[in-house]
Amino acid sequence: MITPERAASGFYFSVLVLPALVWIAGVFWGRRAAVGTGLVLAVLSLANALSPPRPLLTQPVQWAVGFTAADQALRATLAPPPRSHVAEILAGGGSATLFVCRGRGTTDDLEILAGGDGLGVIARPTASFCWLQLQVPPERLAGGSLEVTIRPRPGTGIRESGPTVLVGGYTRPIGDGGRSGGAAFFDGASWRTDDLSPSEAGPQAGRYFVELRLADAAGRVQEIWY
Amino acid sequence: MAGFDSGATALAVAIGGALWLHQVVIVPTPSVGMYLDRAVFHFAAAFVIIEIIEVGRAVARPLLSWRVTHGDASACGTGGAAAAVERLAGGGMRAQPKALAQRPTPGLRRAQRMAGAALLAILVTAQTASHLDERNAYLYMTTPRFPVGPGSGADGYVFWLEGHPTYMESWQFARQAALYGGASTDLGTGDTDARAGYAYVWTLLARPLGYFGGAVVLNALCWMGAALATWYLARRLLERELPAFGAALGVACGQGFVVMAGTPMSYVAGFAWAPILLALTHRLGLLAPAGHQPAGHQPAGQQGASWRARARWAAWGWTCGVAGLFYFTHVVALATLWLLGLRQPHCRPPLTGLLLASALALAVPASWEVAGRAGVGLAFASTTASDLSSNVKGLLQTAMARPLRLPDEAGQGSVRALAGGFPFPTLPLAVVGIVVAGHERRRWYLAVLLCGLAPAMVLHHLPVTQRYGYLAFPAVYIAAVEGVTWIARLSPRAGWTVAGVILLAGIQLLQANADLFGVYGYALAFGGP
């Protein structure tokens, strides 16, 4: 596909920029280097001009996830990093805080459970800082990972306008070098991992922005489980 | 005209000026850092002003100072050239009892050069490969464990490119690359349209290597080009192969390159253009005169060949302009060229050449803006360029309205900008190298260093300016090996020079890669606030 953008940029750079690279090679390494550089650039330019475009594959940095029914829920399994120092951090006076990123809403209509128990709110999100922060008792971290479940708070109902929307995003699968412990969405009938956000167009993979941050006594984050 | 040491005078102005400012400007608790920042600004300003005054003196007494009669680069004819080469290459070192450059070592054999280049390539490849994805310092610094990261998620300020995590702002270059490759017609390319040269070369490499792989290879090639150009430059300046190769090793282990290598943005390319453009000035005989002409080239400006001299200036200007399509390195290179070109020993200031080169260097980016708007439809949102120009205006206003505040403003963070990119012992060794260098080489070091640092001074209000000051690296790495060589030569034992150069390279390698072992201080010093 020869688009005007492709043609215009190709012409400009082929005439004004690529010859400079060839010339530099020639000035420093002689005619052979210039010819070689020119040939490589010519082949690459021809391939760029004549072959089908190579699609740009990107993954979504963020997507929104909201509940549309009272019996829905989402689950994030927070895995510690390799060689976790959780015991040392907590023994040294550190703290464990659950961070949940909010897209919009008050978060009052959500129930957030860690290992099946509720957590106390430390700080609420602001306009410039999306994170709802909840205190996690150290004993909850003994199991090696932490399972967090978020669901509509019973009795608050699902409002048509203004329910809290949380945030998720792509992360690399463990098999590709990623670290996330995984996520799942309960659609009222079953837990599914093929689409973590039915409220967003298209299937969404990755994780929810739900993280456990372990800070030392001075408040510096030392370790993140996600 | 070469007898006046602008470096020493600038140093005196720096120390005196910083102390005097402290006495006249009320600052509740001035820190050592503030003193040093002011001193750096005073030094830079004094150096530039003295250089300009010296040029004026030279112009005022033309017949006494101009020893050749041909125009422009031809002013550096063979007669004056020999003396100029002596000054640039040997200079003060020859005055030292154990001179570095008493007799230039014979050149390396081709096999040795190839082996050296292979070592550089191995270093660049290994460090690039080990700093990708989550180990990319420019990205991991934005995760919550680091000072600027609490607002980000665990993956940092991330953009996912073919499944690889990269620094978020890379999306702009990626989208441009897709546009130039025909994969997209989306003209929402962000704020980096002016740096389209990087995106276009990237799209050529993306065809066979993929977008992520193409960017990584492009960065590695640029890094390698920077190391080779620095090697060439150092060989020209020091006339010794081992220190010259040591300077190239410094670049191959450079903190700025390691931090940025895995980021699909034009920083690495921008860094690389600095030594390449400087090396071209020598290769083309624009600064170093006829004695340094490559074989087969007519010495610039021999009688009847002034068109060739102008062609060389034009070619350099065009290449400099091409560099401006990657980063603002062209501005820094132009400033350096003027500073060095106006006051060449035994040479008439090549004003025509300088003007020609400058016009072309500025015309190329301007032509892209015209072509990009009209032919491609890009918006050219102003970012760094407007930051630079608005800050220059702001500094000018300060200079006019409250001149005593100017050193505080412009100097702010300048020491950090240098120390962040060149941690101990590189920077102190570079200072030693600058001090012991010959007069003309010291001028070269200072001009390159101060012009490279200038963007950090102009963009002083930004929380992180180290990457802007890193453009000083060609001078710092070459001066550092000169410092090591000078110190090593104080010892009566042979072999200390080799040991010193290897030790310096080893330290630089360890520092730049300390993050792989959980030591993040060096990377943060470069990339953190």
Side-chain angles (χ1 to χ4, degrees), chain B residues 55-151:
Chain B
V55 171
R57 284 176 54 194
V59 171
R61 42 181 184 148
L63 291 177
L64 294 176
S65 299
W66 297 353
R67 301 194 179 177
V68 288
T69 55
H70 307 305
D72 300 327
S74 66
C76 300
T78 50
V85 173
E86 291 283 315
R87 289 166 184 279
L88 189 66
M93 294 301 290
R94 288 172 191 247
Q96 301 296 328
K98 295 166 183 171
L100 170 71
Q102 281 290 347
R103 194 161 58 93
T105 53
L108 291 177
R109 289 194 302 272
R110 180 181 170 83
Q112 290 173 312
R113 285 187 203 275
M114 294 299 286
L119 176 58
L120 295 176
I122 289 168
L123 283 170
V124 167
T125 305
Q127 292 175 105
T128 300
S130 60
H131 286 85
L132 299 177
D133 298 337
E134 292 85 357
R135 292 187 303 276
N136 171 0
Y138 202 46
L139 173 63
Y140 72 60
M141 280 180 220
T142 65
T143 62
R145 284 189 62 187
F146 296 94
V148 297

Side-chain angles (χ1 to χ4, degrees), chain B residues 227-514:
Chain B
L228 292 175
T230 305
W231 189 0
Y232 173 86
L233 265 177
R235 199 164 61 236
R236 289 282 168 175
L237 290 165
L238 305 176
E239 292 199 328
R240 299 272 294 189
E241 282 292 352
L242 178 68
F245 186 64
L249 283 174
V251 175
C253 306
Q255 186 70 65
F257 287 96
V258 173
V259 168
M260 295 296 188
T263 302
M265 299 180 76
S266 62
Y267 289 112
V268 170
F271 296 157
W273 276 111
I276 290 171
L277 290 170
L278 287 168
L280 275 173
T281 62
H282 287 256
R283 189 71 170 170
L284 298 174
L286 305 183
L287 294 183
H292 282 298
Q293 293 294 346
H297 282 236
Q298 281 282 350
Q302 285 199 349
Q303 192 161 21
S306 63
W307 65 272
R308 287 190 181 174
R310 292 204 172 94
R312 288 168 187 231
W313 283 99
W316 188 91
W318 161 54
T319 311
C320 184
V322 167
L325 297 178
F326 289 72
Y327 199 53
F328 57 73
T329 317
H330 64 310
V331 181
V332 172
L334 270 182
T336 311
L337 187 72
W338 274 87
L339 208 49
L340 292 172
L342 275 179
R343 193 182 158 210
Q344 296 189 65
H346 302 281
C347 294
R348 173 177 161 180
L351 279 177
T352 310
L354 286 167
L355 288 170
L356 181 62
S358 304
L360 280 166
L362 298 174
V364 172
S367 73
W368 168 240
E369 181 149 356
V370 172
R373 282 182 191 276
V376 184
L378 295 169
F380 283 86
S382 55
T383 50
T384 307
S386 66
D387 273 355
L388 280 168
S389 63
S390 64
N391 276 277
V392 168
K393 284 178 193 165
L395 290 175
L396 285 175
Q397 284 172 356
T398 301
M400 300 300 287
R402 296 176 302 161
L404 293 183
R405 293 286 179 192
L406 187 63
D408 268 340
E409 269 191 45
Q412 183 186 348
S414 53
V415 171
R416 187 191 58 171
L418 279 176
F422 314 106
F424 182 86
T426 302
L427 192 57
L429 284 172
V431 172
V432 171
I434 291 169
V435 169
V436 302
H439 179 74
E440 289 306 322
R441 196 159 61 243
R442 179 156 61 242
R443 276 190 62 240
W444 188 93
Y445 285 145
L446 290 175
V448 173
L449 192 152
L450 295 175
C451 290
L453 184 62
M457 291 185 174
V458 173
L459 296 167
H460 60 90
H461 69 289
L462 297 176
V464 182
T465 56
Q466 295 90 311
R467 63 180 179 273
Y468 304 122
Y470 196 68
L471 288 170
F473 77 87
V476 173
Y477 290 128
I478 298 174
V481 290
E482 177 156 6
V484 165
T485 308
W486 184 81
I487 291 169
R489 295 227 161 207
L490 294 176
S491 163
R493 291 187 183 180
W496 280 73
T497 302
V498 178
V501 169
I502 292 174
L503 183 63
L504 176 62
I507 291 171
Q508 289 168 332
L509 182 68
L510 284 176
Q511 289 172 334
N513 294 277

Side-chain angles (χ1 to χ4, degrees), chain A residues 10-213:
Chain A
F11 178 76
Y12 179 88
F13 288 104
S14 299
V15 170
L16 262 181
V17 173
L18 300 186
L21 306 181
V22 175
W23 179 72
I24 290 171
V27 165
F28 284 108
W29 293 298
R31 188 168 294 174
R32 282 187 188 175
V35 170
T37 307
L39 281 174
V40 169
L41 289 174
V43 168
L44 290 172
S45 299
L46 282 174
N48 187 48
L50 302 177
S51 65
R54 185 177 186 120
L56 176 67
L57 297 177
T58 61
Q59 290 74 35
V61 174
Q62 289 188 356
W63 35 257
V65 54
F67 297 114
T68 54
D71 57 353
Q72 293 176 338
L74 58 84
R75 185 177 68 206
T77 304
L78 309 183
R83 297 183 296 280
S84 170
H85 295 93
V86 58
E88 295 97 304
I89 294 168
L90 295 176
S95 60
T97 306
L98 186 73
F99 280 65
V100 179
C101 185
R102 173 214 64 170
R104 66 168 189 268
T106 64
T107 68
D108 290 335
D109 53 346
L110 298 180
E111 188 173 56
I112 300 174
L113 308 171
D117 298 322
L119 302 171
V121 173
I122 299 173
R124 294 190 171 279
T126 64
S128 59
F129 194 75
C130 79
W131 300 99
L132 172 70
Q133 298 168 59
L134 305 106
Q135 189 167 24
V136 179
E139 57 272 19
R140 301 270 170 78
L141 307 180
S145 68
L146 183 68
E147 191 166 279
V148 176
T149 305
I150 303 176
R151 62 192 185 198
R153 185 179 295 281
T156 56
I158 295 296
R159 289 163 289 177
E160 294 220 347
S161 62
T164 296
V165 170
L166 300 180
V167 178
Y170 180 79
T171 195
R172 288 211 289 182
I174 286 183
D176 294 341
R179 251 202 52 206
S180 172
F185 187 86
F186 187 74
D187 61 7
S190 63
W191 287 99
R192 54 189 297 186
T193 56
D194 59 324
D195 183 7
L196 298 177
S197 177
S199 60
E200 187 90 24
Q204 302 300 337
R207 69 183 185 99
Y208 300 114
F209 282 11
V210 177
E211 305 172 355
L212 180 76
R213 299 184 186 179

